[in-house]
C-alpha cells in the first residue's frame, strides 16, 4: 500500500471491525476497516450469508447439501448444481490434471473407508485393506459450467475438504470487495486471505502453525499482502490403525492414506481456493516432486518435514531459503 494510503488510514475516522461465526465444522473470522458511518451490520450479514451458502453447497457432512445430492445421484443423468459448486469442481479437475492426479476430489469413499468421513468415522479399516488408485476426475465427471449442471460417468463419492474452505474464504473476500472495503483479513480455520493493511499502516501478520499433535504453537510469522495462504498437514486429523499412524489426507494415486515424512505444506497464492488445493496436492507429491511442481507453477510453498525428533523446512519462491 502506498504511503499516501497509509496516512489516510491513520488520519481518517475509521472503525476496526471484527466478526466470527461457525461454518464447515470450524469457524470463520473477518477483520475489516471501514469509515465510521458504515453500516457494519449489513456487511456482517453478507459475510454470514456467504459462508452459510458455501456450507450448504459443498458439505459432505450435510445430507441435504448440493454435494451430498450429487454424490447420491445415479451416473449418466445431469444434476443441477449451484454455480459455486460447478466452479469448484472445474478448478479441482484442473489442479488434478496438472499434478498428475495428486489432487483428486473423488476420494470420498476412501476417506470414509479409513474412518475420516461422515459415513466411516466409527469403523476405520485395517492396514491390510486392498488399495486401488482413484481414476482421474476427468474420467468420472462432466461439468457444464454455463448450464450449472454436472453429470457423473461412474459411481463416485466427491469430497471437497481440500478446496471448499479455501473457496469459502474467497467468498468472504468477495463480500468485502463488493462493499468497496480496501483493508481486510478473512479466514476459515487456517486458510486466510488479506487485502491492504491494518489501521496503523502495518501489514497483516499471519502465524504459521508448527505441526504439533498436542498443542497449537507458531513456528513463524509472515506478513501477508494482497494474497491468500493455506496449510495442509497431518497433525490435526490422524488415526492409529494396526499400530501405524495414518493421515486423513488420501493419496489418490495409491488409494491409501499418506504415510510419509512431510508434516505440512503451506502455499501462498492469489486466491485461497488455489492455495488450499495446491497445499493438498503438494503434500501428496512430497518434497522433491512437490518442490519441482511448485517451481514450475511459480508457487510460494513451504514444506515442513520430520527428521528424527526435529523439523526441517524447504521452500520455493517467497519461502526459498526458509
Amino acid at each position: 500500500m502506498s504511503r499516501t494510503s497509509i496516512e489516510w488510514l491513520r488520519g481518517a475516522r475509521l472503525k476496526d471491525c471484527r466478526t466470527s461465526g461457525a461454518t464447515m465444522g470450524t469457524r470463520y473470522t473477518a477483520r475489516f476497516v471501514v469509515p465510521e458511518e458504515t453500516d457494519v451490520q449489513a456487511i456482517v450479514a453478507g459475510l454470514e450469508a456467504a459462508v452459510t451458502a458455501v456450507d450448504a453447497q459443498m458439505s459432505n457432512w450435510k445430507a441435504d447439501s448440493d454435494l451430498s445430492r450429487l454424490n447420491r445421484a445415479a451416473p449418466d443423468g445431469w444434476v443441477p448444481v449451484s454455480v459455486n459448486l460447478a466452479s469448484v469442481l472445474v478448478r479441482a479437475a484442473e489442479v488434478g490434471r496438472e499434478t498428475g492426479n495428486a489432487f483428486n476430489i473423488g476420494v470420498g469413499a476412501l476417506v470414509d473407508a479409513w474412518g475420516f468421513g461422515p459415513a466411516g468415522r466409527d469403523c476405520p479399516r485395517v492396514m491390510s485393506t486392498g488399495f486401488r488408485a482413484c481414476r482421474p476426475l476427468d474420467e468420472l465427471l462432466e461439468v457444464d459450467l454455463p448450464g450449472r449442471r454436472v453429470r457423473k460417468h461412474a459411481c463416485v463419492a466427491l469430497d471437497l475438504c481440500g478446496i471448499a474452505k479455501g473457496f469459502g474464504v474467497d467468498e468472504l473476500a468477495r463480500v468485502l470487495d463488493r462493499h468497496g472495503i480496501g483493508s481486510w483479513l478473512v479466514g476459515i480455520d487456517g486458510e486466510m486471505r488479506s487485502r491492504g493493511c491494518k489501521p496503523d499502516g502495518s501489514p497483516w501478520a499471519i502465524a504459521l502453525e508448527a505441526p504439533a499433535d498436542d498443542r497449537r504453537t507458531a513456528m513463524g510469522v509472515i506478513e501477508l499482502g494482497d494474497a491468500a495462504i493455506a496449510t495442509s498437514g497431518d497433525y490435526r486429523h490422524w488415526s492409529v490403525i494396526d499400530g501405524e499412524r495414518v493421515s486423513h489426507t488420501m493419496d489418490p494415486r495409491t488409494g491409501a492414506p499418506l504415510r510419509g515424512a512431510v508434516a505440512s505444506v503451506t502455499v501462498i497464492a492469489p486466491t485461497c481456493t488455489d492455495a488450499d488445493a495446491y497445499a493438498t496436492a503438494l503434500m501428496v507429491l512430497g518434497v522433491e516432486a512437490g518442490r519441482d511442481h511448485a517451481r514450475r507453477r511459480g508457487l510460494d510453498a513451504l514444506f515442513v518435514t520430520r527428521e528424527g525428533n526435529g523439523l526441517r523446512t524447504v521452500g520455493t519462491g517467497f519461502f526459498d531459503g526458509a
Side-chain angles (χ1 to χ4, degrees), residues 174-196:
R174 279 186 273 272
V175 170
L176 297 178
D177 281 345
R178 283 197 298 269
H179 281 273
I181 300 170
S183 179
W184 47 257
L185 175 68
V186 294
I188 297 177
D189 204 3
E191 331 293 31
M192 309 289 293
R193 184 171 171 179
S194 69
R195 191 179 305 287

Side-chain angles (χ1 to χ4, degrees), residues 107 110-116 124-132 234 237-239 241 244-260 283-284:
V107 295
L110 284 176
V111 172
D112 278 342
W114 287 94
F116 294 108
R125 303 296 191 261
V126 296
M127 295 298 292
S128 59
T129 299
F131 304 149
R132 185 171 63 181
D234 69 354
H237 306 292
W238 54 276
S239 183
I241 300 176
E244 184 175 354
R245 172 181 169 137
V246 298
S247 168
H248 75 290
T249 300
M250 300 293 139
D251 186 341
R253 305 166 304 173
T254 64
L258 285 182
R259 297 191 297 275
M283 183 98 179
V284 172

Side-chain angles (χ1 to χ4, degrees), residues 24-197:
M24 302 184 197
T26 182
R27 297 190 68 79
Y28 76 90
T29 60
R31 182 181 176 186
F32 51 96
V33 181
V34 294
E36 197 171 57
E37 66 276 10
T38 301
D39 181 1
V40 174
Q41 289 307 311
I43 298 171
V44 170
L47 294 169
E48 178 71 25
V51 293
T52 298
V54 173
D55 201 14
Q57 294 157 358
M58 304 185 194
S59 173
N60 61 341
W61 294 81
K62 295 180 181 293
D64 59 348
S65 73
D66 287 358
L67 181 66
S68 294
R69 181 167 49 84
L70 177 60
N71 280 340
R72 289 193 299 268
D76 300 323
W78 286 105
V79 179
V81 298
S82 67
V83 66
N84 282 354
L85 179 55
S87 299
V88 167
L89 295 177
V90 168
R91 187 60 184 135
E94 292 170 346
V95 176
R97 280 195 298 273
E98 73 170 64
T99 58
N101 204 32
F103 185 78
N104 189 330
I105 60 173
V107 295
L110 284 176
V111 172
D112 278 342
W114 287 94
F116 294 108
R121 59 186 181 272
D122 295 326
C123 52
R125 303 296 191 261
V126 296
M127 295 298 292
S128 59
T129 299
F131 304 149
R132 185 171 63 181
C134 297
R135 293 169 60 186
L137 196 63
D138 286 341
E139 298 178 9
L140 302 172
L141 211 63
E142 182 180 354
V143 182
D144 175 10
L145 185 55
R148 302 183 184 184
R149 58 182 188 163
V150 179
R151 177 164 60 185
K152 298 191 300 186
H153 295 302
C155 291
V156 59
L158 306 174
D159 186 308
L160 299 180
C161 288
I163 194 170
K165 286 181 183 177
F167 183 82
V169 171
D170 289 335
E171 285 291 276
L172 292 171
R174 279 186 273 272
V175 170
L176 297 178
D177 281 345
R178 283 197 298 269
H179 281 273
I181 300 170
S183 179
W184 47 257
L185 175 68
V186 294
I188 297 177
D189 204 3
E191 331 293 31
M192 309 289 293
R193 184 171 171 179
S194 69
R195 191 179 305 287
C197 59

